[in-house]
Amino acid sequence: MTARRGGKGVTLKDVAAHVGVNASTVSRALDARKAHLVQVDTRLLVQGAAKQLGYRPDRVAGALRRGATGTAGVVVADLANPFTAPVIHGISQALRPMQMVPMVLETNDDRSQLEASIDHLLSRRVDVVIVAAARFDDRAVLEDAARHTPMILAARGIPGCALPQVLHDDQLGGALAAQHLLGLGHTRLVELRGPADIGNFVGRHTGFQRTCKAAGAEVIVLENALRPRLEDGERLANVLLDEHAGRMPTALFAHNDLLALGALGVFRRRKLQCPRDVSIIGYNDSLGIDQVDPPLTSVVYPGVEVGRRAGELAMRIAHGQRPADSGVLITSELRIRRSTARPRRA
Amino acid sequence: MTARRGGKGVTLKDVAAHVGVNASTVSRALDARKAHLVQVDTRLLVQGAAKQLGYRPDRVAGALRRGATGTAGVVVADLANPFTAPVIHGISQALRPMQMVPMVLETNDDRSQLEASIDHLLSRRVDVVIVAAARFDDRAVLEDAARHTPMILAARGIPGCALPQVLHDDQLGGALAAQHLLGLGHTRLVELRGPADIGNFVGRHTGFQRTCKAAGAEVIVLENALRPRLEDGERLANVLLDEHAGRMPTALFAHNDLLALGALGVFRRRKLQCPRDVSIIGYNDSLGIDQVDPPLTSVVYPGVEVGRRAGELAMRIAHGQRPADSGVLITSELRIRRSTARPRRA
DNA sequence: CTGTTAGCGCCTTCAC
DNA sequence: GTGAAGGCGCTAACAG
């Protein structure tokens, strides 16, 4: 079927020679945008020969010539975090119709890996970079890189950053969580906070804190999680039980479902029932979280939507349209399940 | 800090002009493998100038010249499936030290999208392709593509395929599941099978079936899931309850955790208790599956390991070492939790 | 409509 | 140890 020459690929020249025309003609005949410049019968001839010889355009050479590679960089913190995959999935959805391909790199929330990733991507001349791994102190690095290649922030924002940002409204999410718990009658609450240099967690905290304050409720302050994972949820829950035993809160807002699950496990082991003794509310509405015991109330994180919108914005930018809306906030909603209830009579 | 010229990037020539040497010298001075060919002081001069001007090598041009792009294609079925992320994570771990960058494409288990993905990747001249989305009838397409660019199969195998394969031992996994259930005393079982043209599910089925047969146990045959997701688990569980009400099995082996969770939900709604009325065993040992009610017994799928091994093999191949071991099987283990128990007295 | 020419930025001979 | 030249495969600009 597909032919091959001496170990190397078939080039435009080969096709041209085979048909007996010039390489430029082949180039034009095979480019949808220019095919009309070529006489119908030669075009057909060329297309036939191309298929017969198994010609596949070399987009590396094309990219060098044109200055556009048809690739987008995607920088994420951690692929293993269940929060990440939907975002990439959304980005991927937006790229496909534009025939763009993502290069996906992980930072592990490490600054030098972020820099290395950006370096790789810019060296490979991606047309645009989507950063879903930003921490506050990465701002200078990112803004600097953006002077060479357009960049946008997705999923994780940096306040005041000059780059376009496509974010979820974490502040609203935090407020929704607070409203729900306050509405149930809780007056002493606690937060399991994610790292303080990641916008999402700051937003969730701000929204939650502000809403609780306004209602005159008490919020116990715990240290932030180092990484918002199961183990840190366990650690913080133990701290809470050990150091605040006298004044246990009746409700807990975890900045993500993993932290919530960690806490839930510790509570169970230490004989506290949810929601009887503590109501728990998570964040992300992760897959399967409704099958947990008890099914977890959680703020929906619309990861696919965030990714898709970021991807769409990136595509517009890559194609030279610098759009007016240099910021998108995607709204939240709360999925109420059985892990939250009225507090027991005090 | 970083400089820029009239909207374009800094090139080798710019650095050369700045130092007053030839571009070849700059090229050599900045290439670790050739730097020794350059006098120490000119080398330092060049390196200084490069940094000062903010020179960043153009790997697109380099790739054209050298014939290697330093990129690997990664083809997955579905990024939103929790099974996928760990595999990519593992691949990513293997690529990083080799300074290679993955281009990640999704097929949605659709043949034409698989072909389009491969086309994209080969056009962009990736050095190697890792396919983690293979279905049995993709064999010809994949083997054909492999004549142009080295390809390997990861996570999902095709029996008898000529490409190197890095797989998990699904047959062992199915056997482990069966042994566990048989050991508990179950004699009438059922399988929630994934699609029949995906190697993993065929392997799980074979291992399970064979082990049950050898023990003389009865396995109820249900149609395969169309997609191994929650909804299909629900659908098949309903089919089971509606059509096999008279002879309900006491144990269920789901080909993945999502199918298991779907079935679990239906059973609960229809007043069957797990594990009292039905034992359930899943596959993948997904994150958080131990927090479900009841905590799910599951066969571990070592996705990160599979990805890492596949990535390592791909790296060796990309660097020209065609290795002897054209197949790797990664072992399984069972995580026993509370969703499986002895059957009730019949 | 088609051919010719001239690079895109880099790296690898081959000279010196 | 360094420079000059050529070309990877493609496409845009300019002729004809």
Side-chain angles (χ1 to χ4, degrees):
Chain A
M1 190 89 78
T2 48
R4 246 182 113 192
R5 303 171 50 245
K8 300 285 302 176
V10 179
T11 75
L12 264 189
K13 242 191 221 162
D14 299 324
V15 179
H18 192 263
V19 180
V21 296
N22 188 279
S24 327
T25 303
V26 177
S27 174
R28 287 189 278 253
L30 297 178
D31 179 346
R33 282 184 303 279
K34 307 222 166 129
H36 64 97
L37 296 172
V38 162
Q39 203 155 0
V40 188
D41 44 353
T42 48
R43 190 197 314 167
L44 259 42
L45 231 52
V46 167
Q47 288 167 345
K51 174 169 286 182
Q52 188 196 331
L53 296 177
Y55 171 69
R56 198 186 317 259
D58 185 331
R59 299 202 55 168
V60 172
L64 178 60
R65 180 63 241 248
R66 297 210 249 214
T69 51
T71 58
V74 176
V75 182
V76 301
D78 179 9
L79 279 164
N81 188 324
F83 153 93
T84 305
V87 177
I88 305 184
H89 183 66
I91 292 174
S92 165
Q93 280 182 9
L95 304 208
R96 187 171 318 118
M98 313 307 303
Q99 312 267 70
M100 298 269 287
V101 166
M103 295 194 192
V104 180
L105 259 25
E106 274 180 297
T107 66
N108 294 305
D109 270 322
D110 176 284
R111 170 70 140 288
S112 73
Q113 285 190 52
L114 173 68
E115 290 178 4
S117 298
I118 290 179
D119 211 62
H120 268 128
L121 294 173
L122 298 203
S123 263
R124 286 177 174 78
R125 299 297 188 255
V126 295
D127 298 332
V128 58
V129 178
I130 301 171
V131 179
R135 294 175 153 249
F136 290 166
D137 52 6
D138 297 328
R139 177 172 169 180
V141 171
L142 296 174
E143 287 180 348
D144 188 59
R147 304 192 304 131
H148 303 86
T149 298
M151 315 212 21
I152 72 172
L153 264 35
R156 279 195 193 176
I158 300 180
C161 180
L163 308 181
Q165 312 197 23
V166 177
L167 306 175
H168 155 77
D169 191 344
D170 290 288
Q171 224 163 297
L172 172 59
L176 287 174
Q179 279 163 19
H180 174 58
L181 295 172
L182 295 169
L184 287 169
H186 294 273
T187 54
R188 194 158 65 251
L189 309 92
V190 66
E191 246 183 310
L192 255 44
R193 300 171 57 180
D197 57 348
I198 294 179
N200 309 50
F201 301 122
V202 174
R204 289 168 202 184
H205 170 63
T206 306
F208 187 79
Q209 185 80 10
R210 184 181 291 162
T211 309
C212 288
K213 268 234 166 81
E218 175 188 359
V219 179
I220 292 173
V221 174
L222 236 48
E223 59 188 301
N224 292 69
L226 297 164
R227 324 200 86 205
R229 313 288 281 273
L230 211 71
E231 309 78 53
D232 254 32
E234 294 173 346
R235 189 174 61 79
L236 291 174
N238 279 316
V239 169
L240 178 68
L241 287 173
D242 294 339
E243 299 183 6
H244 298 267
R247 297 179 56 72
M248 268 296 286
T250 58
L252 180 152
F253 170 44
H255 280 192
N256 72 25
D257 291 331
L258 257 27
L259 290 171
L261 286 182
L264 187 61
V266 168
F267 289 162
R268 180 174 302 132
R269 260 168 271 144
R270 298 183 61 169
K271 309 298 177 207
L272 281 180
Q273 282 187 31
C274 169
R276 205 196 54 170
D277 302 311
V278 204
S279 285
I280 299 185
I281 180 166
Y283 214 110
N284 284 359
D285 192 36
S286 316
L287 203 63
I289 206 72
D290 55 338
Q291 302 288 342
V292 165
D293 173 32
L296 203 70
T297 296
S298 190
V299 182
V300 175
Y301 185 89
V304 177
E305 168 88 358
V306 168
R308 202 174 45 68
R309 296 286 290 272
E312 285 166 1
L313 177 57
M315 290 308 89
R316 264 177 270 131
I317 290 176
H319 292 78
Q321 312 164 28
R322 197 150 299 267
D325 62 326
S326 83
V328 179
L329 257 199
I330 292 159
T331 196
S332 268
E333 84 187 277
L334 187 63
R335 204 83 86 207
I336 298 173
R337 301 204 182 84
R338 296 201 287 99
S339 70
T340 46
R342 310 190 68 78
R344 254 199 308 180
R345 285 281 52 237
Chain B
M1 190 88 77
T2 48
R4 244 183 116 190
R5 305 170 48 243
K8 300 285 303 174
V10 180
T11 75
L12 218 43
K13 240 191 222 164
D14 299 324
V15 180
H18 192 263
V19 180
V21 296
N22 187 279
S24 331
T25 304
V26 178
S27 173
R28 287 189 276 253
L30 297 178
D31 178 347
R33 282 184 301 279
K34 309 234 161 117
H36 64 97
L37 296 172
V38 154
Q39 204 155 0
V40 187
D41 43 354
T42 48
R43 190 198 315 169
L44 261 41
L45 232 50
V46 167
Q47 288 167 347
K51 175 168 285 182
Q52 187 196 331
L53 296 177
Y55 170 70
R56 197 186 318 259
D58 184 331
R59 300 203 54 169
V60 172
L64 178 61
R65 179 64 240 250
R66 295 210 250 214
T69 52
T71 58
V74 176
V75 182
V76 301
D78 179 8
L79 280 163
N81 188 326
F83 153 93
T84 305
V87 176
I88 305 183
H89 183 65
I91 292 174
S92 165
Q93 281 182 10
L95 303 208
R96 189 172 315 118
M98 312 308 299
Q99 312 268 69
M100 298 268 288
V101 166
M103 295 194 192
V104 181
L105 259 24
E106 274 178 298
T107 66
N108 295 304
D109 270 321
D110 176 285
R111 170 70 141 288
S112 72
Q113 285 188 52
L114 173 69
E115 290 179 2
S117 299
I118 290 179
D119 211 61
H120 268 129
L121 295 172
L122 298 203
S123 263
R124 286 175 174 82
R125 299 298 188 255
V126 294
D127 298 333
V128 59
V129 178
I130 301 171
V131 179
R135 295 175 153 248
F136 290 166
D137 52 5
D138 296 328
R139 176 171 170 181
V141 171
L142 297 173
E143 287 181 348
D144 187 59
R147 304 193 305 133
H148 303 85
T149 297
M151 316 211 21
I152 72 171
L153 263 35
R156 279 195 194 176
I158 299 181
C161 181
L163 308 180
Q165 313 197 24
V166 178
L167 305 174
H168 156 76
D169 191 344
D170 290 288
Q171 225 164 297
L172 173 59
L176 287 174
Q179 278 163 18
H180 174 58
L181 295 173
L182 295 169
L184 287 170
H186 294 272
T187 54
R188 195 159 63 250
L189 308 91
V190 67
E191 246 183 311
L192 255 44
R193 300 171 58 180
D197 58 347
I198 295 179
N200 309 51
F201 302 122
V202 173
R204 288 167 202 184
H205 169 63
T206 306
F208 187 79
Q209 186 80 11
R210 184 181 294 161
T211 309
C212 288
K213 271 238 165 78
E218 175 189 359
V219 179
I220 292 174
V221 174
L222 236 49
E223 60 188 301
N224 293 70
L226 297 164
R227 323 199 87 205
R229 313 288 281 273
L230 212 70
E231 308 78 53
D232 254 32
E234 295 173 345
R235 188 173 63 77
L236 291 175
N238 278 316
V239 169
L240 178 69
L241 287 173
D242 294 338
E243 301 183 5
H244 299 265
R247 297 179 56 74
M248 267 296 286
T250 58
L252 181 151
F253 170 43
H255 280 192
N256 73 24
D257 291 332
L258 257 26
L259 290 171
L261 286 182
L264 187 60
V266 168
F267 288 160
R268 181 175 301 132
R269 259 169 271 144
R270 298 183 62 170
K271 309 296 178 208
L272 281 181
Q273 282 188 31
C274 169
R276 204 196 53 168
D277 302 311
V278 203
S279 284
I280 298 185
I281 180 166
Y283 214 110
N284 282 0
D285 193 37
S286 316
L287 202 64
I289 207 73
D290 55 337
Q291 302 289 342
V292 165
D293 172 32
L296 203 70
T297 296
S298 190
V299 182
V300 175
Y301 185 90
V304 176
E305 169 86 358
V306 168
R308 201 173 47 65
R309 296 286 288 274
E312 286 166 1
L313 176 58
M315 293 305 89
R316 263 176 272 132
I317 291 177
H319 293 78
Q321 310 165 29
R322 198 150 298 268
D325 61 327
S326 82
V328 180
L329 257 198
I330 292 159
T331 196
S332 269
E333 85 186 278
L334 187 64
R335 204 82 89 207
I336 297 172
R337 301 206 181 82
R338 296 201 286 98
S339 70
T340 46
R342 310 189 69 78
R344 254 197 309 178
R345 284 279 54 236

